C-alpha cells in the first residue's frame, strides 16, 4: 500500500471529530497520541496507547488503554493506513494482552506467590481468528487443569479456578467511570445453563468428543489458545481436533449449521430487506453468510486437507480458492463483500462505541455514518453496499438452498410402495418391497437411529430411481444392502447422498459394475466423501505433487500414524481412479498411469519415513543410501487396480562400512533390515487397511539372494551371472526412490547392462523357450485373458524386449514409448502400438469390473466396451481378436527364427 501523508490522517481525524461523539472525546483526552498520528507515526501511537497508565490499578489501566487503542485503530482505519486485516489483528492482539493482564492480576490478588498457571482462555469467533470487531465482545471458553491450578488450604481446584475466572471477567467487563475493556460472553461453553463458567480440561474434552453438536464443530474452526496457560490451551485444542476436523464428513452437522443460518435469517426478517435498518451481520447477504460459506467448505474438505484450516474468513476463502474448491470469481466476490461489510460495520460501531450491526433507520443518522466513511451521504453508502449484499445472498442461496419440498416419501403400505416402485421403473417390485421393509423395521443395526432412518427416507426416492436405471437393478439393490451391513453406522453415508444427490448415480454405477469398489466402500464408507470434490475425478498430478500433498495433509505424530495416513490417502486416490472408469469417459490407460503415480508417491513417502525411523536407532551408513528400483508394470508406469509392486532394493557405497548409530550395523545387514522395514511399511495391513503386495523375486539371485545388494554387487551380477530373463526384466527397471545422483548412477549401470552386445540367435532361443515354459506352467484362465493368451500382452512384451536387446535401442520402461521408438526405427510393426493400447485398456478395466475373472458379467459388457473405445461388446471382441492376431503373427514370426524347440523335428 502506498504510504499516506499526514494530511490524509488529519482528514481522518477531522471526520472522526465531526461524526463520532466517542472518538471526539478520545481526541480531546489523548492529545499526545493525536500528535503522533498527525506526524504519521501510527505504529508509535499504537505502542504508546498500549503502554499508558502503567502505575494505575489494573482495572483503570486496562480501560485507559482500551480507549486509547480504540482511537488509534479508528484513525489508522479511517485514513487507510491500516487495511481491514491490520485493524482486526491489532484489536485482537490487544484483547489477548488485556486478558493476560487481567488474569495475571487475578492470580496476584489471590495467590501472590504463584505465577499464572493451570488456567487457559480459548478464544472463539472473531477473537479466535484475530478478526475482532471495532466494538466487540469476546466469546471465550475457560478451562483449567485441576493438577496445576494453585489453591489455598482446603480449597478445591474447581473453587480456585472459579474465583480466578470471575475476577478476570470482572476486570474486563465491569463498566466503571473509565468505561469497560471487553464485554465477555461465556455462553458458548458446553451446556452453559448447567455448568460453571470455567471447566476442568478433561471434562471439556469429554464433552466435545461425545456430546457436542454441529454448530460447536464450526465454532472451533476459529478457536485459538489466546491467553493464560497456552500450553494447556493448545493441548486441549489438539485433543479435540478430531472432533473439529473429521476425515468422515458429517453432513448432518453442516445441515444443522445451515438450519441455524436460515433461522437467523427468519428471526431478523425485519433487517432482511436491504436499506436503512439492514443488519449487516445477520441479514440476507450479510457478514454471517460469507463466514458460513467459507466454514461449510472447510468442514467438508478440511478434515482431509490441513492446508484448508485457516481460521480467518479471508484466509479461508483464499486457500479454498487455491485448492480449486471455490471458483476464483467467487473468492474475489465474497472477499470484496466481506471487506465492505466489515468496514461499514466498524463505522457503525465507531460512532458511539456500541456493538451494533444495523444501518441506522433515520436518514440523518445514516448520512452521519456515511460521512464518517468519507462518502457524500447515506444513499452513496447504500449504493456501495448493494452489489456486495446481493452477490453474497445469491452465493449463500446456492450453497444451502432455500427450503424446498423434496421427493414425496415412499409409502409405508406394501401395495402402495409396490405401485410407486413400478411407476419409478422397477419391474420386479417384490424383492424391493421386502428389502425396504427390512431397512425400515430396524433389522439392521446401522439403520436403527432416528437420524439414520430420517436420512434413509429422504434418500429412498432418489436412490430407487437410480437403481431402476441400472442394467441389473436387483443386483445393485443386493450390493447396496451389503454395503450398508458393512458400515459401523449408516447415518453419515446416507446424509452424504442426501446432501449430494448426484452421487446416487455414481453409487449405483459402482454397485452394478465394480465389485472391487463396492467392497472397499463397504469396508470404509468415508471413501465416498472424497467424491464431493470436483477435483476428485481429475487424474492425479505428477509424483512430486502427490508426495507434497501426502506430506502436507499428514498430521500424524509417529511412524504408525504415518502408515495409516498414507493408506487412507492411497485408498481415496485408488477409489477415485476406479470411479473414473465406471462413471465417465476417461481413458483407462491414463487411469493406469494414475495408479502408478499414486503408488510411486506412496513408496517415496513411506520409504523416507522408514529410513528416518530406522536411523533413530541405527544411524546412517556414511557415504551410502537406499535406492529402490521398480520393475514390471510398476517400472513401466502403468498399473491396474489390483497390481502388486515389483521392487528391487539396492544401496550405494561400501557394503563393509558400519552405521554410526547407537546400535551400529554393517552396511549389508543395515540395508537388508531397512529394506524389510520398507516392505512392511508398504504391505502390512494396519487399522487403515492394506496397501500393496510387494514382490522382490526379480532381485539378483531371486529368493535365494539377499534382499538388498550394493550397486557394485548389482553391476557385477548383471555382467557375470544374470540369466537372459533377468535382462529382459531389466528393460522395464527405473528408480523410484533415492537421490538424483544415485538414480543417475543406477541408470548408467542399467544402461550399460542392456547395451552389451549379445548373440541374437541365442537370445531369441532362450526367450522363445521361456515363453513356451510360461505357456506350459501358467495357462490362460479364459478366452479373454489378454495377458496370458496367445497373441496377448506377454507375447508382446517378449517381442519388444527381445527386439530391444538384439538391436540395443528403443529402451524405455514405458512399453508405449518403447513401441514408438522401435517402430520409428523400422524394427517392429507400427500396428503393434494400437494392439498394445487396446489390450492394456481391457486389462485395466477388467481387473476392476471382473476381479475374479477375465470376462465381466453380461450387464457390464456395455461399460467395458465403452471404456475400451468400442461401440458395443461385439465390436470390442472383434477388435481384441484383431489385436491378438497382429501380436501373434509378429511374435510367431520372430520366435520361428530361433528354430524348432528342443525335442521337436
Amino acid at each position: 500500500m502506498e504510504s499516506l501523508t499526514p494530511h490524509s490522517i488529519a482528514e481522518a481525524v477531522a471526520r472522526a471529530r465531526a461524526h463520532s461523539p466517542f472518538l471526539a472525546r478520545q481526541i480531546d483526552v489523548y492529545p499526545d497520541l493525536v500528535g503522533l498520528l498527525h506526524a504519521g507515526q501510527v505504529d508509535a501511537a499504537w505502542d504508546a496507547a498500549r503502554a499508558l497508565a502503567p502505575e494505575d490499578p489494573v482495572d483503570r489501566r486496562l480501560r485507559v488503554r482500551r480507549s486509547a487503542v480504540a482511537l488509534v485503530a479508528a484513525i489508522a482505519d479511517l485514513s487507510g493506513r491500516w487495511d481491514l486485516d491490520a485493524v482486526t489483528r491489532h484489536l485482537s492482539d490487544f484483547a489477548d494482552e488485556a486478558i493476560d493482564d487481567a488474569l495475571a492480576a487475578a492470580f496476584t490478588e489471590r495467590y501472590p506467590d504463584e505465577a499464572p498457571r493451570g488456567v487457559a482462555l480459548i478464544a472463539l469467533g472473531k477473537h479466535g481468528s484475530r478478526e475482532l470487531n471495532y466494538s466487540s465482545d469476546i466469546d471465550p471458553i475457560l478451562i483449567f487443569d485441576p493438577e496445576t491450578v494453585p489453591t489455598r488450604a482446603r480449597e478445591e481446584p474447581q473453587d480456585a479456578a472459579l474465583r480466578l475466572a470471575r475476577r478476570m471477567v470482572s476486570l474486563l467487563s465491569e463498566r466503571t467511570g473509565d468505561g469497560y475493556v471487553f464485554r465477555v460472553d461465556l455462553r458458548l461453553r458446553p451446556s452453559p445453563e448447567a455448568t460453571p463458567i470455567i471447566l476442568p480440561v478433561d471434562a471439556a474434552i469429554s464433552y466435545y468428543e461425545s456430546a457436542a453438536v454441529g454448530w460447536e464443530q464450526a465454532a472451533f474452526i476459529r478457536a485459538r489458545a489466546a491467553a493464560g496457560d497456552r500450553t494447556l490451551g493448545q493441548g486441549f485444542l489438539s485433543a479435540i481436533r478430531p472432533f473439529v476436523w473429521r476425515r468422515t464428513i458429517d453432513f448432518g452437522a453442516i445441515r444443522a449449521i445451515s438450519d441455524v443460518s436460515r433461522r437467523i435469517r427468519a428471526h431478523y426478517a425485519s433487517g432482511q430487506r436491504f436499506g436503512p435498518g439492514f443488519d449487516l451481520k445477520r441479514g440476507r447477504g450479510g457478514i454471517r453468510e460469507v463466514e458460513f460459506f467459507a466454514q461449510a467448505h472447510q468442514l467438508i474438505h478440511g478434515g482431509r486437507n490441513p492446508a484448508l484450516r485457516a481460521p480467518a474468513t479471508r484466509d479461508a476463502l483464499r486457500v479454498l480458492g487455491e485448492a480449486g474448491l471455490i471458483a476464483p470469481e467467487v473468492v474475489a466476490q465474497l472477499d470484496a463483500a466481506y471487506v465492505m461489510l466489515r468496514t461499514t460495520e466498524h463505522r457503525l460501531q465507531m460512532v458511539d462505541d456500541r456493538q451494533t450491526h444495523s444501518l441506522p433507520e433515520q436518514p440523518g443518522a445514516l448520512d452521519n455514518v456515511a460521512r464518517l466513511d468519507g462518502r457524500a451521504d447515506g444513499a452513496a453508502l447504500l449504493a456501495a453496499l448493494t452489489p456486495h449484499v446481493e452477490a453474497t445472498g445469491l452465493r449463500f442461496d446456492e450453497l444451502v438452498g432455500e427450503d424446498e419440498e423434496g421427493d414425496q416419501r415412499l409409502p409405508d403400505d406394501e401395495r402402495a410402495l409396490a405401485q410407486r416402485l413400478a411407476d419409478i421403473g422397477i419391474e420386479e417390485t417384490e424383492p424391493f418391497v421386502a428389502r425396504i421393509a427390512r431397512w425400515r423395521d430396524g433389522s439392521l443395526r446401522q439403520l436403527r437411529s432416528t437420524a439414520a432412518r430420517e436420512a434413509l427416507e429422504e434418500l429412498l426416492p432418489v436412490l430407487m430411481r437410480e437403481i431402476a436405471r441400472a442394467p441389473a437393478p436387483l443386483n445393485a439393490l443386493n450390493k447396496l444392502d451389503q454395503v450398508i451391513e458393512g458400515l459401523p453406522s449408516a447415518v453419515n453415508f446416507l446424509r452424504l447422498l442426501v446432501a449430494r444427490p448426484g452421487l446416487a448415480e455414481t453409487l449405483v454405477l459402482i454397485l452394478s459394475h465394480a465389485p472391487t469398489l463396492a467392497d472397499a466402500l463397504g469396508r470404509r464408507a468415508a471413501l465416498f466423501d472424497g467424491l464431493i470434490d470436483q477435483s476428485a475425478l481429475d487424474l492425479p498430478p505428477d509424483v512430486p505433487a502427490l508426495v507434497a500433498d501426502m506430506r502436507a495433509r499428514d498430521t500424524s505424530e509417529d511412524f504408525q500414524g504415518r502408515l495409516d495416513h498414507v493408506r487412507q490417502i492411497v485408498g481415496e486416490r485408488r477409489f477415485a481412479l476406479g470411479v473414473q472408469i465406471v462413471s465417465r469417459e476417461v481413458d483407462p490407460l491414463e487411469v493406469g498411469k494414475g495408479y502408478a503415480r499414486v503408488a510411486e508417491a506412496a513408496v517415496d513417502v513411506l520409504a523416507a519415513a522408514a529410513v528416518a525411523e530406522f536411523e533413530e536407532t541405527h544411524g546412517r551408513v556414511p557415504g551410502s543410501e537406499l535406492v529402490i528400483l521398480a520393475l514390471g508394470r510398476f517400472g513401466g508406469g502403468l498399473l491396474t487396480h489390483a497390481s502388486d509392486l515389483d521392487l528391487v532394493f539396492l544401496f550405494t557405497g561400501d557394503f563393509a562400512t558400519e552405521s554410526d548409530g547407537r546400535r551400529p550395523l554393517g552396511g549389508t545387514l543395515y540395508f537388508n533390515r531397512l529394506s524389510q522395514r520398507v516392505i512392511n511399511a508398504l504391505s502390512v495391513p494396519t487399522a487403515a487397511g492394506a496397501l500393496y503386495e510387494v514382490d522382490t523375486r526379480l532381485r539378483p539371485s531371486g529368493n535365494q539372494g539377499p534382499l538388498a545388494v550394493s550397486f557394485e554387487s548389482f553391476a557385477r551380477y548383471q555382467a557375470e551371472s544374470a540369466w537372459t530373463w533377468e535382462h529382459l526384466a531389466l528393460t522395464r527397471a527405473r528408480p523410484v526412490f533415492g537421490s538424483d545422483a544415485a538414480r543417475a548412477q543406477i541408470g548408467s549401470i542399467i544402461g550399460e547392462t542392456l547395451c552389451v552386445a549379445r548373440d541374437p540367435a541365442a537370445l531369441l532361443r532362450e526367450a522363445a523357450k521361456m515363453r513356451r515354459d510360461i505357456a506350459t506352467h501358467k495357462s490362460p484362465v479364459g478366452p479373454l485373458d489378454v495377458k496370458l493368451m496367445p497373441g496377448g500382452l506377454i507375447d508382446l512384451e517378449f517381442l519388444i524386449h527381445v527386439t530391444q536387446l538384439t538391436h540395443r535401442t528403443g529402451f524405455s520402461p514405458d512399453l508405449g514409448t518403447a513401441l514408438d521408438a522401435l517402430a520409428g526405427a523400422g524394427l517392429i510393426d507400427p500396428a503393434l502400438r494400437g494392439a498394445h493400447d487396446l489390450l492394456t485398456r481391457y486389462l485395466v478395466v477388467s481387473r476392476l469390473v471382473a476381479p475374479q475373472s477375465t470376462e465381466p458379467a453380461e450387464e457390464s459388457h456395455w461399460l467395458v466396451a465403452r471404456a475400451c473405445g468400442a461401440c458395443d461388446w461385439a465390436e470390442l471382441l472383434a477388435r481384441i481378436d484383431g489385436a491378438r492376431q497382429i501380436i501373434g503373427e509378429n511374435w510367431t514370426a520372430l520366435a520361428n527364427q530361433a528354430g524348432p524347440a528342443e525335442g521337436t523335428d
Side-chain angles (χ1 to χ4, degrees):
M1 179 177 175
E2 184 179 346
S3 178
L4 298 174
T5 65
H7 176 74
S8 63
I9 290 177
E11 192 268 340
V13 171
R15 274 192 282 132
R17 183 179 287 281
H19 302 291
S20 167
F22 168 72
L23 290 176
R25 289 194 298 273
Q26 309 316 314
I27 290 169
D28 292 336
V29 170
Y30 301 109
D32 292 344
L33 296 180
V34 175
L36 288 171
L37 291 168
H38 277 303
Q41 298 180 38
V42 174
D43 292 341
W46 177 260
D47 291 340
R50 292 167 49 229
L52 288 173
E55 303 301 324
D56 286 1
V58 64
D59 54 347
R60 183 171 191 277
R61 180 172 72 243
L62 290 176
R63 284 155 178 76
V64 167
R65 290 178 179 178
R66 190 266 169 183
S67 298
V69 300
L71 170 63
V72 175
I75 301 305
D77 185 356
L78 292 170
S79 67
R81 194 60 167 269
W82 288 350
D83 63 10
L84 174 65
D85 291 344
V87 171
T88 58
R89 186 170 60 250
H90 278 84
L91 293 172
S92 301
D93 290 349
F94 173 73
D96 293 356
E97 293 175 11
I99 296 165
D100 270 329
D101 283 352
L103 185 58
F107 266 88
T108 299
E109 290 173 6
R110 187 158 186 82
Y111 310 104
D113 298 325
E114 296 282 358
R117 57 185 169 85
V119 173
L121 181 141
I122 307 300
L124 300 179
K126 291 183 173 67
H127 182 205
S129 56
R130 298 180 75 202
E131 300 173 290
L132 205 58
N133 281 337
Y134 183 78
S135 181
S136 179
D137 58 10
I138 55 175
D139 305 286
I141 289 175
L142 303 179
I143 59 174
F144 73 96
D145 180 2
E147 300 297 323
T148 58
V149 68
T151 58
R152 291 180 175 177
R154 295 186 297 279
E155 185 180 40
E156 292 294 325
Q158 177 73 65
D159 295 332
L162 189 58
R163 291 184 178 100
L164 289 168
R166 285 173 174 164
R167 179 56 175 153
M168 180 194 72
V169 171
S170 173
L171 287 171
L172 292 171
S173 60
E174 186 176 294
R175 189 175 289 274
T176 71
D178 296 305
Y180 67 99
V181 189
F182 288 102
R183 293 172 293 270
V184 182
D185 186 345
L186 295 167
R187 291 174 296 173
L188 294 185
R189 71 185 185 276
S191 305
E193 70 286 350
T195 58
I197 63 173
I198 185 167
L199 297 174
V201 62
D202 288 342
I205 291 171
S206 177
Y207 172 83
Y208 289 111
E209 287 179 340
S210 61
V213 295
W215 68 263
E216 290 173 303
Q217 182 185 356
F220 273 92
I221 290 176
R222 299 194 286 184
R224 178 172 60 90
D229 188 336
R230 286 172 173 78
T231 300
L232 171 64
Q234 289 162 359
F236 165 74
L237 292 176
S238 296
I240 67 165
R241 185 181 296 122
F243 156 72
V244 183
W245 301 110
R246 302 174 183 175
R247 290 189 60 82
T248 300
I249 300 164
D250 184 354
F251 271 95
I254 295 171
R255 170 173 285 194
I257 302 164
S258 173
D259 289 344
V260 168
S261 297
R262 288 197 188 97
R263 288 197 296 272
I264 289 171
R265 272 190 174 186
H267 181 75
Y268 289 93
S270 61
Q272 292 259 350
R273 186 178 181 85
F274 183 72
F278 177 74
D279 191 314
L280 294 170
K281 181 177 181 179
R282 306 175 187 89
R284 181 184 184 279
I287 293 166
R288 274 270 174 83
E289 296 190 355
V290 180
E291 292 170 343
F292 175 73
F293 189 96
Q295 290 167 7
H297 284 82
Q298 288 178 293
L299 287 175
I300 291 172
H301 305 286
R304 296 185 306 280
N305 187 352
L308 303 179
R309 300 175 187 177
T313 300
R314 296 184 71 193
D315 291 339
L317 290 170
R318 176 180 53 77
V319 297
L320 289 163
E322 290 171 352
L325 299 171
I326 301 178
E329 62 273 17
V330 177
V331 173
Q333 195 174 60
L334 292 178
D335 182 75
Y338 191 72
V339 171
M340 182 66 191
L341 290 164
R342 288 293 308 275
T343 300
T344 306
E345 180 186 47
H346 282 186
R347 302 297 177 264
L348 293 173
Q349 295 173 355
M350 285 176 187
V351 174
D352 287 313
D353 190 26
R354 291 177 52 242
Q355 188 187 17
T356 180
H357 312 285
S358 297
L359 296 174
E361 295 186 4
Q362 298 301 317
L366 184 61
D367 288 343
N368 182 69
V369 172
R371 288 166 184 150
L372 178 62
D373 194 43
R375 302 181 188 275
D377 51 28
L381 178 60
L382 293 176
L385 284 166
T386 297
H388 297 294
V389 171
E390 290 179 350
T392 300
L394 290 173
R395 294 300 181 190
F396 185 81
D397 290 344
E398 292 169 1
L399 178 68
V400 304
E402 296 297 331
D403 288 324
E404 298 174 357
E405 288 296 322
D407 287 336
Q408 185 178 355
R409 183 183 187 276
L410 292 186
D412 293 318
D413 178 76
E414 289 189 4
R415 183 174 298 178
L417 175 58
Q419 183 59 54
R420 179 76 180 279
L421 293 171
D423 292 342
I424 288 173
I426 293 173
E427 297 178 1
E428 191 179 354
T429 61
E430 185 176 348
F432 280 80
V433 171
R435 191 61 54 81
I436 291 172
R438 177 172 177 260
W439 291 344
R440 285 172 164 172
D441 68 12
S443 297
L444 291 182
R445 170 183 54 79
Q446 295 82 354
L447 296 174
R448 287 175 189 161
S449 72
T450 301
R453 288 196 299 272
E454 289 175 351
L456 174 68
E457 293 298 342
E458 191 170 353
L459 178 64
L460 275 175
V462 174
L463 198 55
M464 290 301 109
R465 274 202 307 272
E466 293 300 336
I467 289 178
R469 298 189 183 110
L474 186 57
N475 179 50
L477 180 73
N478 291 334
K479 284 287 187 182
L480 176 60
D481 192 64
Q482 292 172 18
V483 168
I484 291 174
E485 281 199 76
L487 300 174
S489 169
V491 63
N492 275 342
F493 179 65
L494 297 175
R495 280 172 168 173
L496 169 61
L497 291 169
V498 169
R500 296 289 189 272
L503 289 179
E505 178 184 1
T506 302
L507 174 63
V508 172
L509 280 170
I510 290 170
L511 299 176
S512 300
H513 304 293
T516 300
L517 300 183
D519 291 345
L521 198 56
R523 291 190 301 271
R524 186 179 163 217
L527 288 170
F528 217 59
D529 292 354
L531 301 185
I532 63 175
D533 295 355
Q534 272 191 320
S535 60
L537 295 183
D538 293 339
L539 290 166
D542 60 20
V543 173
L546 283 168
V547 170
D549 176 64
M550 287 183 185
R551 288 178 173 153
R553 293 164 61 182
D554 185 5
T555 58
S556 57
E557 298 178 353
D558 55 25
F559 183 64
Q560 183 60 48
R562 189 150 295 118
L563 299 186
D564 290 339
H565 167 74
V566 171
R567 279 157 174 74
Q568 289 170 344
I569 298 294
V570 171
E572 291 169 4
R573 290 279 188 183
R574 292 171 74 189
F575 184 81
L577 283 163
V579 170
Q580 290 184 54
I581 291 177
V582 300
S583 68
R584 67 182 211 177
E585 298 292 336
V586 177
D587 188 344
L589 293 180
E590 295 304 319
V591 172
K593 293 174 183 177
Y595 284 134
R597 291 197 295 275
V598 170
E600 186 173 347
V603 169
D604 188 298
V605 172
L606 290 181
V611 168
E613 190 210 27
F614 198 74
E615 287 176 350
E616 289 180 6
T617 301
H618 302 290
R620 298 181 179 183
V621 178
S624 295
E625 65 172 291
L626 180 69
V627 177
I628 303 176
L629 286 183
L631 291 90
R633 293 201 170 276
F634 188 28
L638 195 152
L639 298 175
T640 70
H641 195 89
S643 290
D644 58 11
L645 306 183
D646 291 307
L647 302 179
V648 170
F649 293 88
L650 307 170
F651 61 91
T652 63
D654 185 354
F655 70 91
T657 304
E658 194 173 73
S659 67
D660 58 9
R662 65 178 186 272
R663 293 174 57 187
L665 297 171
T668 298
L669 181 58
Y670 178 99
F671 285 106
N672 274 266
R673 287 190 180 177
L674 174 56
S675 298
Q676 186 61 60
R677 191 70 59 90
V678 173
I679 291 171
N680 292 344
L682 289 167
S683 61
V684 172
T686 72
L691 195 57
Y692 294 104
E693 292 293 326
V694 174
D695 189 340
T696 62
R697 290 175 296 174
L698 294 179
R699 68 186 186 269
S701 301
N703 287 339
Q704 304 305 311
L707 195 55
V709 299
S710 68
F711 275 19
E712 181 182 356
S713 296
F714 180 79
R716 185 168 57 251
Y717 177 85
Q718 296 298 334
E720 299 174 2
S721 306
W723 295 79
T724 298
W725 69 263
E726 291 177 289
H727 286 176
L728 292 173
L730 201 62
T731 60
R732 304 188 73 182
R734 66 185 178 93
V736 293
F737 182 78
S739 66
D740 291 343
R743 292 183 189 223
Q745 186 180 352
I746 193 61
S748 297
I749 293 171
I750 293 169
E752 291 172 5
T753 301
L754 297 179
C755 289
V756 168
R758 304 168 196 276
D759 179 349
L763 170 65
L764 187 53
R765 282 195 302 273
E766 292 183 48
K769 181 181 182 302
M770 282 185 278
R771 180 63 184 102
R772 289 194 298 272
D773 290 343
I774 291 174
T776 299
H777 299 294
K778 198 170 184 180
S779 301
V781 295
L784 285 175
D785 187 340
V786 296
K787 183 176 178 182
L788 292 171
M789 64 188 181
L793 290 169
I794 292 293
D795 283 355
L796 180 58
E797 290 172 12
F798 271 99
L799 174 61
I800 293 169
H801 301 328
V802 168
T803 305
Q804 289 171 320
L805 292 177
T806 298
H807 297 279
R808 292 179 284 173
T809 189
F811 292 113
S812 172
D814 183 318
L815 290 183
T817 302
L819 280 166
D820 290 342
L822 295 173
L827 298 174
I828 60 169
D829 183 352
L832 289 167
R833 176 60 192 268
H836 162 271
D837 289 356
L838 175 65
L839 297 189
T840 304
R841 286 189 180 97
Y842 183 85
L843 183 71
V844 172
V845 178
S846 65
R847 289 288 192 269
L848 183 73
V849 174
Q852 305 302 323
S853 172
T854 59
E855 181 172 348
E858 183 176 353
E859 60 264 23
S860 297
H861 282 176
W862 68 271
L863 185 145
V864 177
R866 184 197 68 180
C868 293
C871 295
D872 53 36
W873 184 247
E875 181 187 332
L876 176 60
L877 293 180
R879 291 176 61 183
I880 289 175
D881 285 342
R884 289 182 58 195
Q885 184 175 352
I886 292 169
I887 295 171
E889 289 174 351
N890 278 273
W891 170 242
T892 300
L894 181 62
N896 285 343
Q897 296 176 27
E902 293 181 11
T904 64
D905 293 331

